[in-house]
Amino acid sequence: MAKPSTSAAPRLSKKDYEARAAVLREKLVQLQVRLKEAPFKILLIVAGVEGAGTGDLLNTLGSWLDPRGVETFSFRDPSDEERERPFLWRFWRSLPTNGRIGIYAGSWYTETLRAALHEPPAQQDLSPEFERIRHFEKLHADDGTLIIKVWLNLSKTAQGRRLRALSSDESTAWRVSPDHWQYHRHYARLSRLAISIHRATHRPHAPWTILDAEDDRARDLDTASLLIARFQAHLRKHGRPLKTKAPSAATRRSLRPAGLKRLQSLPLDQQLSAADYEAKREKWLGKLNQAVRTASAAKRSIVFAFEGWDAAGKGGAIRRLTSAIDVRDYRVIPVAKPTDEEKAHHYLWRFWRNIPRAGLTAIFDRSWYGRVLVERLEGFARDDEWKRAYAEINDFEQQLTARGIIVVKFWLHIGRDEQLRRFRAREETTYKRHKINDEDWRNRRKWDAYEVAVGDMLALTDTTTAPWHLIPANNKRHARLQILKTACKQIETALA
Amino acid sequence: MAKPSTSAAPRLSKKDYEARAAVLREKLVQLQVRLKEAPFKILLIVAGVEGAGTGDLLNTLGSWLDPRGVETFSFRDPSDEERERPFLWRFWRSLPTNGRIGIYAGSWYTETLRAALHEPPAQQDLSPEFERIRHFEKLHADDGTLIIKVWLNLSKTAQGRRLRALSSDESTAWRVSPDHWQYHRHYARLSRLAISIHRATHRPHAPWTILDAEDDRARDLDTASLLIARFQAHLRKHGRPLKTKAPSAATRRSLRPAGLKRLQSLPLDQQLSAADYEAKREKWLGKLNQAVRTASAAKRSIVFAFEGWDAAGKGGAIRRLTSAIDVRDYRVIPVAKPTDEEKAHHYLWRFWRNIPRAGLTAIFDRSWYGRVLVERLEGFARDDEWKRAYAEINDFEQQLTARGIIVVKFWLHIGRDEQLRRFRAREETTYKRHKINDEDWRNRRKWDAYEVAVGDMLALTDTTTAPWHLIPANNKRHARLQILKTACKQIETALA
């Protein structure tokens, strides 16, 4: 774009620019070809001083990159669907799949920056925001994502010169808005804020690169060079999926034996007669109905996670639960093997997507705990991955509860013999036969190892705000009633 | 569920119920296995008299079907993201992919039914709603979708009996809300409304089936039987994709030669000097910036569709356009070959998904017109499909403009020689070589056939609210400036 030159320093000549651009463009094309097959994505975050030319840079990158592999994001005020979920939800929903580039003209940094324009930073404690951002970036970097953060810098003098030059020419004056001048006036304060953001969120896996944007041509070339250099380094380290084929011996060793003890000491022989069950069930369904409606009226959402042994009765328990809830107020989300799209994302992505709107209920039939159960034991997650997952999951649930969402987690526990009885019964009933397959029998043979994993899960993710409820489920009626009671109490406590 | 019997008629015995259920469940399992591979989806819409047991029916179906192939939908009040788009947007975004079942406990009928509870139907003219619903269902039925609409009926006497029985038992009284009684009082009016809905939307491809819901067991069995019977009949007709391999001769014959004449008579030799362009460009960018901001402030969205010959300069023109728009206010959507997920949906699905929020701009680099261009000529769409598409597209755009969205469509036209020159230039530039491939050369050899298709498109989709703008593009500067001017005028006219 041949806009009036606003630079005092000598601008890169057009000829030099074009020669260097030609080289970089070819490399960018090669980058995209290789990225397409790579097991990771690139997030390129562009932020910076007002007037440094984010929009122009995006346009240049748009012409250099193959648009089919790129998505560009920017964010206006959040919609109500976004405001009703945790802060990071709108960013989770925007993430590209592996093999693609997401360019963020606005990002998880934008709101902090914008808010600071109107409020002196001294009055704000930004540490929770920074903490949240660090977690988010770490989570994705750990997953292999290449995070590139560019800060376009412009000195106060250069900014003023650019704004004046644009304003003085009638045909370009529209490029300068009152906001620009306000940013100019508060240059020093915003600079200090930028420095504190950089310090707080500059990490080896997600470093900031500060680029001088005074020369628009150099700015575009430098950004492209950075993208290429970071990609090449990343490819050497993360070019191949690291998945081990066979699960390591570590998957079978308990990290925290207390959980296993808790599991094994659960008495399983409770009984509940059909008559007793009939007598109590409707009462508790009614209480649950009331509790869910009260939560809904208060715009509080509920997230149920149902985990348990194969054939422990998760499906049946869920149907009893939902019979008390208005069909418009809940959704059941069955969690099976991830789809191709889900595999090209972080393992938590498909759960983030399904966080309910304010006042609604989501019931997960199996959940994010698959990461530390089946994925741990079948080698779908490496040791470092499933070991890291406990903290990631606690952080995920903490974001839900902090947003007012009520999280209720059940482990349905049955004995080994009871499972065998149910497996055989399933095999004998024509229309239930599809519910049982070789995998179920394989998992059953690994009972001891699963028990260890369940124990670790109970010990490491039993938090105050999202505790585990162990349900003895050898007797289905007893289990169902206890689930109803527990759900009621949890919701009522959360609302109290 | 053993709720108090509320039926006067003899209820199906538990034994008979279980025997019949066992047979149906096995068939449902088989259905899902076959559906998984079928090139269509099933939409099962359940509506009916209040108290007829939609929720219980859903729970039963949930226990009979494999949950991994089913999604259940219901709808509360629309969110702002939904309200900002055409009425049907929220239903488009909910559709399952081919091979799956979507069960709609709430649907495109719900709002009409709910509104009527509070307003006597005499005061409403429902014909536009009915028309919209008929179009929507026809569109998907034409695409192969199996649409099953069930109306659960209950006589006023049976409804009253059920409500009284539930209310009189302390443990079940919670199942009856004040709304239920209101529905009961207005039974006659709602019945008349139901009849008018059935009449207006009962079509061979989307018929209503009215089921008596007095006996809850029979209700569940009848619904499952209906699902199985309709599926088997549908499978015989639509079990295999009908796609022809080679495009028929009809694809090369013009439907409306006037369009072709219009295209061929476009003068292409306009010139614009670099100096003239430089002098005028910023002024028009400024005007466009103003127009887009005015539209945005008025919460009016803008949808640009860029079509044109390969190498006609769509990408460059789009980047000039976006250089005038705040990066937070627009998104460019490059349209390439559909992904697997997109292929498992109606061809308009991926465009519905990308309708912008109120006040934002979406720029489609290629668009839904692919259906009547490349898909027509390469045989990706059958003759009946692409011929039907003109009306479908007009209806789609009409829904956008009716919602206040400004639709601006460009066809960038270059000469055959000019295209050849640009192809060769691309091949000679290392970093542009990836922009040209065998397919481009193949398309070029079909120039005459494409011209016919473009002509038909111009003639058949040039509507008052979404007219086509033909842009002579042999001279890039001239084309870019004309696009800026046209965009401004279209937006200003729409806002006037």
Side-chain angles (χ1 to χ4, degrees):
Chain A
M1 306 297 300
K3 272 180 252 139
S5 170
T6 53
S7 168
R11 193 183 181 208
L12 193 66
S13 77
K14 193 168 183 190
K15 204 180 137 208
D16 283 356
Y17 170 75
E18 283 179 353
R20 283 182 56 197
V23 177
L24 290 172
R25 291 180 74 167
E26 196 178 343
K27 286 188 180 166
L28 286 174
V29 171
Q30 291 163 358
L31 177 158
Q32 284 190 278
V33 170
R34 300 189 66 181
L35 176 62
K36 220 170 160 180
E37 305 301 320
F40 61 83
K41 58 182 73 75
I42 300 178
L43 306 184
L44 171 62
I45 291 114
V46 181
V49 173
E50 202 67 18
T54 305
D56 292 341
L57 171 61
L58 252 62
N59 259 332
T60 306
L61 290 177
S63 73
W64 290 355
L65 292 162
D66 182 345
R68 286 165 298 182
V70 184
E71 279 155 277
T72 306
F73 303 103
S74 58
F75 300 90
R76 281 263 170 219
D77 296 336
S79 68
D80 59 1
E81 293 198 18
E82 290 167 340
R83 273 190 299 264
E84 289 167 8
R85 272 90 165 197
F87 170 76
L88 289 172
W89 188 76
R90 65 191 316 212
F91 305 110
W92 273 97
R93 89 196 272 220
S94 79
L95 291 170
T97 49
N98 287 345
R100 298 173 65 81
I101 306 176
I103 302 183
Y104 287 80
S107 68
W108 34 98
Y109 290 100
T110 313
E111 220 159 283
T112 312
L113 278 162
R114 240 182 274 170
L117 182 64
H118 304 286
E119 196 184 346
Q123 295 184 18
Q124 304 176 301
D125 176 15
L126 292 174
S127 48
E129 269 85 354
F130 293 153
E131 179 73 9
R132 189 164 59 185
I133 288 174
R134 279 196 301 265
H135 272 172
F136 182 67
E137 293 182 349
K138 171 100 172 39
L139 190 87
H140 289 289
D142 281 341
D143 193 44
T145 300
L146 169 57
I147 302 175
I148 305 174
K149 302 190 291 193
V150 173
W151 182 266
L152 301 180
N153 212 18
L154 210 55
S155 68
K156 185 166 187 183
T157 320
Q159 189 186 43
R161 197 162 43 229
R162 179 163 299 185
L163 295 179
R164 276 189 302 275
L166 290 168
S167 302
S168 64
D169 183 332
E170 200 193 330
S171 71
T172 58
W174 60 273
R175 289 192 179 271
V176 181
S177 72
D179 260 14
H180 282 85
W181 289 113
Q182 210 190 333
Y183 278 100
H184 187 58
R185 273 192 302 280
H186 295 295
Y187 186 93
R189 193 218 294 167
L190 290 165
S191 270
R192 283 192 302 274
L193 173 66
I195 290 167
S196 71
I197 288 180
H198 295 166
R199 277 201 193 130
T201 62
H202 185 75
R203 287 285 180 278
H205 55 262
W208 278 104
T209 302
I210 298 170
L211 293 182
D212 189 79
E214 190 160 355
D215 179 345
D216 54 347
R217 289 176 180 152
R219 171 198 68 202
D220 295 356
L221 295 173
D222 289 349
T223 307
S225 302
L226 177 71
L227 180 57
I228 292 161
R230 292 283 315 275
F231 173 76
Q232 285 168 344
H234 198 77
L235 195 66
R236 280 192 291 275
K237 255 178 94 177
H238 299 276
R240 253 162 231 278
L242 287 169
K243 300 268 176 276
T244 48
K245 282 284 166 211
S248 81
T251 62
R252 292 169 167 266
R253 275 195 302 271
S254 182
L255 296 171
R256 194 75 70 84
L260 182 59
K261 268 182 213 142
R262 181 180 165 198
L263 186 72
Q264 288 175 334
S265 62
L266 190 74
L268 289 171
D269 49 1
Q270 299 89 335
Q271 292 302 320
L272 185 67
S273 73
D276 264 12
Y277 177 59
E278 293 289 335
K280 289 176 184 162
R281 189 190 48 190
E282 280 292 320
K283 186 189 110 188
W284 281 101
L285 286 173
K287 275 178 183 282
L288 182 66
N289 176 270
Q290 187 56 53
V292 171
R293 281 196 286 140
T294 309
S296 183
K299 291 282 171 197
R300 300 281 297 271
S301 305
I302 307 168
V303 166
F304 286 101
F306 277 85
E307 291 286 353
W309 296 105
D310 290 331
K314 292 185 293 297
I318 290 171
R319 282 190 295 277
R320 277 18 172 232
L321 193 79
T322 56
S323 72
I325 311 180
D326 185 319
V327 67
R328 284 164 297 174
D329 286 345
Y330 73 86
R331 254 191 81 206
V332 178
I333 298 123
V335 175
K337 285 200 188 72
T339 64
D340 286 349
E341 192 193 5
E342 288 166 346
K343 271 187 218 157
H345 279 287
H346 191 276
Y347 75 93
L348 284 173
W349 180 79
R350 57 175 169 157
F351 306 107
W352 271 99
R353 287 181 91 186
N354 282 304
I355 295 174
R357 295 198 52 192
L360 300 186
T361 294
I363 302 163
F364 289 89
D365 184 352
R366 299 196 187 278
S367 72
W368 43 97
Y369 285 99
R371 187 69 164 181
V372 295
L373 300 173
V374 59
E375 292 193 43
R376 165 177 176 174
L377 290 171
E378 303 301 332
F380 303 142
R382 298 188 313 270
D383 287 355
D384 61 310
E385 288 178 326
W386 64 259
K387 283 183 182 170
R388 198 169 58 222
Y390 301 102
E392 290 166 345
I393 286 172
N394 287 340
D395 181 54
F396 168 59
E397 293 177 355
Q398 202 275 328
Q399 290 186 64
L400 299 183
T401 54
R403 193 70 198 76
I405 298 170
I406 303 163
V407 179
V408 188
K409 307 187 296 195
F410 292 111
W411 174 262
L412 273 66
H413 198 48
I414 55 174
R416 219 165 177 158
D417 296 346
E418 178 63 19
Q419 190 191 49
L420 183 62
R421 215 187 50 69
R422 292 187 187 181
F423 275 14
R424 290 205 174 129
R426 284 187 173 183
E427 286 190 325
E428 278 156 23
T429 312
T430 342
Y431 58 82
K432 284 188 176 168
R433 210 169 286 149
H434 73 283
K435 283 185 161 191
I436 177 114
N437 58 35
D438 291 352
E439 207 180 308
D440 295 315
W441 288 105
R442 260 201 313 279
N443 291 345
R444 184 177 156 73
R445 280 193 293 275
K446 294 185 188 169
W447 183 282
D448 292 334
Y450 268 96
E451 237 180 12
V452 165
V454 173
D456 283 347
M457 171 186 88
L458 294 177
L460 294 164
T461 61
D462 191 36
T463 56
T464 327
T465 49
W468 274 107
H469 302 285
L470 265 67
I471 306 291
N474 271 5
N475 182 302
K476 283 190 182 179
R477 288 185 294 264
H478 185 275
R480 287 169 186 172
L481 199 65
Q482 198 180 327
I483 286 168
L484 290 179
K485 285 182 186 173
T486 310
C488 282
K489 282 180 199 155
Q490 271 282 111
I491 298 166
E492 284 163 6
T493 308
L495 293 173
Chain B
M1 306 296 302
K3 271 179 254 141
S5 170
T6 53
S7 168
R11 194 183 181 208
L12 193 66
S13 78
K14 194 168 183 190
K15 204 181 136 207
D16 283 356
Y17 170 75
E18 282 178 353
R20 283 182 56 197
V23 177
L24 289 173
R25 290 179 74 167
E26 197 178 342
K27 286 188 181 167
L28 286 174
V29 171
Q30 290 163 0
L31 178 158
Q32 285 190 277
V33 171
R34 300 189 65 181
L35 176 62
K36 220 170 160 181
E37 306 299 321
F40 61 83
K41 56 183 73 75
I42 300 178
L43 306 184
L44 171 62
I45 291 113
V46 182
V49 172
E50 202 67 16
T54 305
D56 292 341
L57 171 61
L58 251 61
N59 259 333
T60 306
L61 290 177
S63 73
W64 290 355
L65 291 162
D66 181 344
R68 286 165 299 182
V70 184
E71 279 154 278
T72 305
F73 303 102
S74 59
F75 300 90
R76 281 261 170 220
D77 296 336
S79 68
D80 59 2
E81 294 198 18
E82 290 167 340
R83 273 190 298 265
E84 289 167 8
R85 272 89 163 197
F87 170 77
L88 289 171
W89 188 77
R90 65 192 315 213
F91 304 110
W92 274 97
R93 87 198 272 220
S94 79
L95 291 169
T97 50
N98 287 344
R100 297 173 67 80
I101 306 177
I103 302 183
Y104 287 80
S107 68
W108 34 100
Y109 291 99
T110 313
E111 220 158 283
T112 310
L113 279 162
R114 240 181 275 170
L117 183 63
H118 304 286
E119 196 184 345
Q123 294 182 19
Q124 302 176 301
D125 176 16
L126 292 174
S127 47
E129 270 84 353
F130 292 153
E131 179 73 10
R132 190 164 57 186
I133 288 174
R134 279 196 302 263
H135 272 173
F136 181 68
E137 292 182 349
K138 172 102 172 38
L139 189 86
H140 289 289
D142 281 340
D143 195 44
T145 300
L146 169 56
I147 302 175
I148 305 174
K149 302 189 292 192
V150 174
W151 182 265
L152 301 179
N153 211 19
L154 211 55
S155 67
K156 184 166 188 182
T157 321
Q159 188 185 43
R161 195 160 48 229
R162 179 164 299 183
L163 295 179
R164 276 190 302 275
L166 291 167
S167 301
S168 63
D169 183 333
E170 200 192 330
S171 72
T172 57
W174 60 272
R175 290 192 179 272
V176 181
S177 72
D179 260 13
H180 283 84
W181 288 113
Q182 212 192 331
Y183 278 101
H184 187 58
R185 272 193 302 279
H186 295 296
Y187 186 93
R189 193 216 296 168
L190 290 165
S191 270
R192 282 192 303 273
L193 174 64
I195 291 168
S196 70
I197 288 180
H198 295 166
R199 277 202 193 131
T201 62
H202 184 74
R203 287 284 180 278
H205 54 264
W208 278 102
T209 302
I210 299 171
L211 293 181
D212 189 79
E214 190 159 355
D215 179 344
D216 55 347
R217 289 175 181 155
R219 172 198 69 202
D220 294 356
L221 295 173
D222 289 349
T223 307
S225 302
L226 177 71
L227 180 58
I228 292 161
R230 290 284 315 276
F231 173 76
Q232 285 167 343
H234 198 77
L235 195 65
R236 279 191 292 276
K237 254 178 94 177
H238 299 277
R240 253 162 230 278
L242 287 169
K243 301 269 177 277
T244 48
K245 282 285 165 211
S248 81
T251 62
R252 294 170 166 266
R253 275 196 300 270
S254 182
L255 296 171
R256 194 72 72 84
L260 183 59
K261 268 184 212 139
R262 182 180 164 198
L263 185 72
Q264 289 175 334
S265 62
L266 189 75
L268 290 171
D269 48 1
Q270 297 89 335
Q271 294 299 323
L272 184 67
S273 73
D276 264 14
Y277 177 60
E278 295 288 336
K280 290 176 183 162
R281 188 189 49 190
E282 280 293 320
K283 186 190 110 187
W284 282 101
L285 286 173
K287 276 177 184 284
L288 181 67
N289 176 270
Q290 187 55 53
V292 171
R293 281 196 287 139
T294 309
S296 184
K299 290 282 172 197
R300 299 282 296 271
S301 305
I302 308 170
V303 166
F304 286 100
F306 277 85
E307 291 286 353
W309 296 104
D310 288 333
K314 293 185 292 295
I318 289 171
R319 283 189 296 277
R320 278 16 173 235
L321 192 78
T322 56
S323 73
I325 313 179
D326 185 321
V327 67
R328 283 163 299 175
D329 286 344
Y330 73 86
R331 254 191 82 205
V332 178
I333 299 123
V335 176
K337 285 201 187 72
T339 64
D340 286 349
E341 193 192 5
E342 290 166 345
K343 272 188 215 155
H345 278 287
H346 190 277
Y347 75 93
L348 284 173
W349 180 78
R350 56 175 168 158
F351 305 107
W352 270 99
R353 289 180 91 186
N354 281 303
I355 295 174
R357 294 197 54 193
L360 300 187
T361 294
I363 302 164
F364 289 89
D365 185 352
R366 300 197 186 277
S367 71
W368 42 98
Y369 284 100
R371 187 67 164 182
V372 294
L373 300 174
V374 59
E375 291 193 44
R376 165 178 175 173
L377 289 171
E378 304 301 332
F380 302 142
R382 299 188 313 269
D383 287 355
D384 61 311
E385 288 178 327
W386 64 259
K387 283 183 182 169
R388 198 168 59 221
Y390 301 102
E392 290 167 345
I393 286 172
N394 286 339
D395 181 55
F396 169 58
E397 293 177 355
Q398 202 275 328
Q399 290 187 64
L400 299 182
T401 55
R403 193 72 197 74
I405 298 170
I406 303 164
V407 178
V408 188
K409 307 187 296 194
F410 292 111
W411 173 262
L412 273 64
H413 198 49
I414 53 173
R416 218 166 178 158
D417 296 346
E418 178 61 20
Q419 191 191 48
L420 182 63
R421 213 186 52 70
R422 293 187 187 180
F423 275 16
R424 290 205 173 128
R426 284 186 172 183
E427 286 191 325
E428 277 156 24
T429 312
T430 341
Y431 58 82
K432 285 189 174 168
R433 211 170 284 151
H434 73 282
K435 283 187 159 188
I436 177 115
N437 58 34
D438 291 351
E439 208 181 308
D440 296 316
W441 287 106
R442 260 201 313 279
N443 291 345
R444 184 177 156 74
R445 279 194 293 275
K446 294 187 189 169
W447 183 281
D448 293 335
Y450 268 96
E451 237 180 11
V452 165
V454 174
D456 283 347
M457 172 186 88
L458 294 176
L460 294 164
T461 62
D462 192 36
T463 56
T464 325
T465 49
W468 273 106
H469 301 286
L470 266 67
I471 306 291
N474 271 6
N475 182 301
K476 283 189 181 180
R477 287 186 294 264
H478 186 275
R480 287 168 186 173
L481 201 65
Q482 198 181 327
I483 287 168
L484 290 179
K485 285 182 187 175
T486 311
C488 282
K489 281 180 200 156
Q490 270 282 109
I491 298 166
E492 284 164 6
T493 308
L495 294 173

